[in-house]
Amino acid sequence: MGKYPKFLMEHFQNPRNVGEISDPDGVGTVGNASCGDIMQMFIKVSGDKIVKAKFKTFGCGAAIATSSILTERIIGATLDEALKISEETSKEVLSQLPKEKIPCFTLATEALKLAIEEF
Ligand code: FES
């Protein structure tokens, strides 16, 4: 586990925003072709702001930790801001993840993009 930075480990051990939104405004579902795992991201929008974001995944620890970080950061953001946050978080997280775990993080950003598109 030493290959993961502290903040990722903390989110893995105490993931935020896990679960489902029963009446979502957008849902994105993505599969990781390399491992067969699935990620679902739910958003609730008021005006143009994301007021709730939750995720469910059959993915690994890296997928859980990065989805937790992403959902925590986008709550309260506008849809445009959320896409920017997603890009910035990608740069930050991807530089610290082992190469083989990059598709696991991409699951969260892709699912978020689809959820926003559905809205
Ligand atoms: Fe499947 Fe990470 S190994 S999501």
Side-chain angles (χ1 to χ4, degrees):
M1 294 291 235
K3 59 186 176 178
Y4 293 105
K6 232 181 180 172
F7 79 104
L8 276 177
M9 282 306 295
E10 201 278 314
H11 275 270
F12 169 60
Q13 284 161 345
N14 302 293
R16 273 71 116 183
N17 306 308
V18 175
E20 207 169 309
I21 296 175
S22 55
D23 55 344
D25 293 312
V27 183
T29 305
V30 183
N32 184 345
S34 61
C35 66
D37 290 334
I38 292 173
M39 164 78 62
Q40 260 192 322
M41 182 86 63
F42 304 82
I43 56 168
K44 188 83 194 153
V45 180
S46 176
D48 68 342
K49 278 199 173 159
I50 296 177
V51 291
K52 253 192 208 177
K54 289 195 173 241
F55 73 94
K56 273 196 341 193
T57 185
F58 288 105
C60 64
I64 293 169
T66 52
S67 305
S68 170
I69 290 168
L70 189 60
T71 51
E72 194 173 56
R73 291 182 178 180
I74 60 169
I75 293 172
T78 65
L79 297 169
D80 284 346
E81 285 166 352
L83 291 172
K84 276 190 205 123
I85 290 168
S86 177
E87 264 176 49
E88 285 159 13
T89 305
S90 292
K91 283 184 207 148
E92 179 190 342
V93 171
L94 294 183
S95 64
Q96 301 184 59
L97 268 183
K99 263 202 180 83
E100 69 274 15
K101 289 294 175 186
I102 289 175
C104 312
F105 173 65
T106 311
L107 274 184
T109 55
E110 286 300 310
L112 173 65
K113 218 181 335 117
L114 289 178
I116 289 175
E117 274 170 23
E118 188 184 274
F119 171 74

